[in-house]
């Protein structure tokens, strides 16, 4: 039986983590584009390749012992049930508020007066928390993709979304107003597994820490 299971986010984190996994000695053995459960070159470590938003849930409920997931997902999910021992320093980006480059909101997020601001995002809790902290009531519209389209067709006044280079925003005539949070990939651990499999997890954490330090 495999000693440890690591849940890994599909997409950018999977791509960016490849050199790190190789340095740690757990390169996946198999087709990561098709298979969701993969052995690695270390017989004691197995990978689960799943949706980023599902990683904290898999780790929290013990379906995986560890996970690699963006800080943005942890903030939205609520990471209190997980240990977060290491910032891996990969997949860096920021969670930002953006709007059309001709929007009156460029003068300030309260430029609409008494009308409630409409916010399109796949991060409803983070968006609500940010605007609530400003004392601003908003209507949050949850979307799962094509976020940049929402302000252009009048669905929303602003979006709250991840930004890396900003090229996609600029290509669609949008500009950032404010950064809510910085994000990078984090290594998280199930609290029960940390006790029950402490020695094996400690070895893997040390290998990750060494690889990050040498990157």
């Amino acid at each position: 039986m495999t000693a440890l299971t690591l849940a890994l986010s599909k997409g950018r984190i999977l791509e960016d983590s490849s050199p790190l996994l190789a340095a740690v000695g757990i390169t996946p053995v198999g087709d990561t584009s098709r298979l969701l459960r993969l052995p690695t070159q270390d017989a004691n470590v197995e990978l689960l390749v799943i949706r980023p938003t599902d990683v904290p849930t898999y780790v929290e409920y013990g379906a995986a012992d560890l996970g690699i997931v963006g800080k943005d997902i942890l903030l939205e999910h609520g990471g209190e049930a997980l240990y977060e021992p290491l910032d891996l320093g990969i997949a860096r980006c920021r969670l930002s508020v953006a709007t059309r480059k001709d929007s009156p909101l460029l003068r300030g997020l309260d430029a609409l007066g008494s009308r409630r601001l409409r916010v399109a995002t796949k991060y409803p809790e983070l968006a609500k928390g940010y605007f609530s902290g400003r004392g601003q009531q908003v209507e949050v519209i949850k979307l799962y993709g094509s976020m940049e389209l929402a302000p252009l067709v009048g669905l929303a006044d602003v979006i709250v979304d991840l930004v890396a280079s900003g090229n996609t925003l600029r290509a669609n005539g949008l500009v950032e107003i404010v950064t809510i949070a910085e994000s990078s990939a984090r290594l998280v651990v199930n609290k029960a597994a940390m006790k029950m499999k402490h020695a094996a997890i400690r070895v893997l954490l040390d290998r990750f820490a060494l690889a990050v330090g040498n990157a």
Side-chain angles (χ1 to χ4, degrees), residues 21-91:
L21 295 177
V24 172
I26 55 172
T27 298
V29 178
D31 184 357
T32 58
S33 67
R34 294 181 180 274
L35 299 177
L36 302 179
R37 189 173 184 176
L38 294 165
T40 73
Q41 65 191 91
D42 183 335
N44 291 316
V45 181
E46 177 184 63
L47 298 182
L48 303 180
V49 183
I50 56 180
R51 288 169 59 99
T53 51
D54 291 336
V55 171
T57 302
Y58 271 68
V59 177
E60 180 180 344
Y61 285 92
D65 303 301
L66 308 95
I68 297 178
V69 64
K71 182 63 176 180
D72 56 299
I73 300 294
L74 290 175
L75 291 172
E76 178 68 18
H77 177 272
E80 297 80 7
L82 306 171
Y83 290 125
E84 187 188 320
L86 192 59
D87 181 349
L88 299 177
I90 58 174

Side-chain angles (χ1 to χ4, degrees), residues 7 18 20 79 84 87-88 99 119 123 140 152 156 168 178-180 198:
S18 293
L20 186 60
E84 187 188 320
D87 181 349
L88 299 177
T99 190
V119 182
Y123 301 95
V140 174
L152 303 180
T168 303
V178 65
T179 297
I180 295 177
H198 181 79

Side-chain angles (χ1 to χ4, degrees), residues 176-195:
E176 291 177 77
I177 298 176
V178 65
T179 297
I180 295 177
E182 300 289 340
S183 180
S184 58
R186 309 300 169 97
L187 188 64
V188 294
V189 184
N190 174 275
K191 289 187 174 181
M194 192 67 181
K195 294 178 182 178

Side-chain angles (χ1 to χ4, degrees), residues 109-126:
L109 283 170
D110 54 357
L112 297 181
S114 60
R115 181 166 77 75
R116 184 174 293 192
L117 190 71
R118 290 201 306 272
V119 182
T121 186
K122 59 181 176 182
Y123 301 95
E125 297 305 317
L126 283 173

